[in-house]
Amino acid sequence: MSSGFRHVVMFVWAEGTTVAQQEEVAAKLAELPGQIPQIAAYSTGIDAGVNPNTWDFVVVADFADRDAYLVYRDHPAHRDVIDAYITPIAAQRASVQYDT
């Protein structure tokens, strides 16, 4: 029985991306829960550098259901962060969405 819906996205940043740029992405994403009420839980993180062959950054977002996730996915505030802060520095992106 599903109790929610989770979105996980990971990024590898382009060569030359600074820690300041990563922190700016994290700060801009952290504003989204205040702008998109469908977000039930939201966390971001810069890779701790403990293991080899990892991705650089992750977003984990929880929603009540798939429809709430779709509102977030297409929300103008979310799209603005992607277009202005993530796309310019992202070299690779992987994501998964699943019922929880």
Side-chain angles (χ1 to χ4, degrees):
M1 183 169 164
S2 175
S3 63
F5 195 77
R6 179 167 286 161
H7 165 65
V8 180
V9 61
M10 300 182 303
F11 297 97
V12 171
W13 300 129
E15 188 173 337
T17 297
T18 66
V19 171
Q21 286 173 299
Q22 293 182 73
E23 290 172 346
E24 184 174 41
V25 168
K28 293 299 181 182
L29 290 170
E31 295 173 3
L32 295 180
Q35 300 172 16
I36 306 171
Q38 288 79 6
I39 298 171
Y42 204 74
S43 66
T44 64
I46 296 172
D47 182 65
V50 176
N51 294 322
N53 304 316
T54 60
W55 293 68
D56 297 324
F57 191 87
V58 67
V59 178
V60 179
D62 290 330
F63 304 90
D65 55 31
R66 184 180 308 232
D67 289 339
Y69 161 72
L70 293 173
V71 170
Y72 160 82
R73 183 194 70 186
D74 299 333
H75 194 283
H78 178 232
R79 302 305 314 164
D80 287 347
V81 172
I82 291 169
D83 293 344
Y85 299 95
I86 294 174
T87 299
I89 62 171
Q92 294 181 59
R93 178 188 181 277
S95 72
V96 62
Q97 296 76 39
Y98 59 94
D99 292 314
T100 58

